[in-house]
């Protein structure tokens, strides 16, 4: 059993579109091929904001400006094949600064920009639904 704290970003561009990625993780049936926001684990000694900037750059090639934290925290135990993982997720609203979009993580199957109205049409991880509800999306 392990615990990790994850930070993700609701990244918006100048055209009012939001960046999402589709997870590829067959080891976790509840997460495999679900849509998600970019982000990742906070490393020892790192602030959530620094971790989010680093993870987004590594996973997407993009630079972001961190905005306000969405006032919600998601907590879940995920069952892996050989262990259980307790994940705590924080989410920030972010603005795209610059960069060239690329897939930089083997756990990302696809990426795309979507409008606010398209969120309802996609199958997201449960954490995303919680954060979107918290900001009335």
């Amino acid at each position: 059993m392990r615990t990790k704290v994850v930070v993700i970003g609701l990244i918006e561009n100048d055209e009012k579109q939001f960046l999402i990625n589709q997870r590829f993780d067959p080891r976790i049936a509840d997460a495999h091929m679900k849509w998600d926001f970019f982000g990742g684990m906070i490393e020892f000694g790192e602030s959530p904001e620094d971790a989010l900037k680093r993870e987004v750059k590594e996973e997407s090639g993009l630079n972001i400006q961190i905005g306000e934290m969405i006032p919600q925290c998601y907590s879940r135990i995920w069952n892996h094949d050989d262990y259980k993982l307790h994940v705590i997720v924080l989410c920030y609203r972010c603005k795209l600064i610059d960069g060239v979009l690329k897939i930089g993580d083997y756990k990302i199957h696809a990426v795309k920009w979507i409008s606010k109205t398209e969120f309802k049409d996609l199958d997201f991880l449960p954490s995303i639904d919680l954060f979107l509800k918290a900001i009335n999306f």
Side-chain angles (χ1 to χ4, degrees):
M1 292 186 280
R2 303 185 326 197
T3 299
K4 73 178 183 177
V5 181
V6 170
V7 62
I8 59 175
L10 174 59
I11 303 169
E12 185 176 4
N13 65 17
D14 290 337
E15 289 79 41
K16 304 286 186 212
Q17 296 173 313
F18 301 90
L19 184 63
I20 60 172
N21 69 76
Q22 190 175 40
R23 296 274 308 258
F24 183 84
D25 198 349
R27 297 176 309 137
I28 309 173
D30 290 342
H32 185 57
M33 301 307 284
K34 303 273 184 170
W35 290 94
D36 195 5
F37 296 156
F38 281 89
M41 189 171 77
I42 300 172
E43 294 179 358
F44 182 81
E46 207 173 27
S47 71
E49 297 86 357
D50 287 344
L52 182 55
K53 287 179 184 178
R54 176 186 51 76
E55 286 284 350
V56 169
K57 182 69 172 179
E58 289 172 2
E59 292 180 349
S60 72
L62 302 177
N63 295 303
I64 58 169
Q65 176 183 0
I66 307 290
E68 72 274 3
M69 187 171 91
I70 295 173
Q72 193 69 276
C73 176
Y74 181 79
S75 177
R76 178 172 177 172
I77 295 175
W78 292 94
N79 293 311
H80 286 251
D81 292 338
D82 51 352
Y83 65 94
K84 291 184 180 204
L85 178 64
H86 178 209
V87 177
I88 298 167
V89 184
L90 307 173
C91 185
Y92 286 81
R93 294 191 74 150
C94 305
K95 286 286 192 183
L96 173 67
I97 296 174
D98 61 21
V100 176
L101 183 60
K102 64 174 178 58
I103 296 177
D105 188 322
Y106 70 94
K107 289 185 181 178
I108 296 174
H109 176 72
V111 299
K112 64 180 174 176
W113 290 97
I114 63 170
S115 68
K116 184 177 177 179
T117 59
E118 292 176 277
F119 278 100
K120 65 181 173 13
D121 300 327
L122 298 168
D123 189 16
F124 283 93
L125 288 171
S127 57
I128 302 305
D129 293 333
L130 177 77
F131 293 123
L132 292 175
K133 187 175 183 180
I135 58 172
N136 298 314
F137 255 60

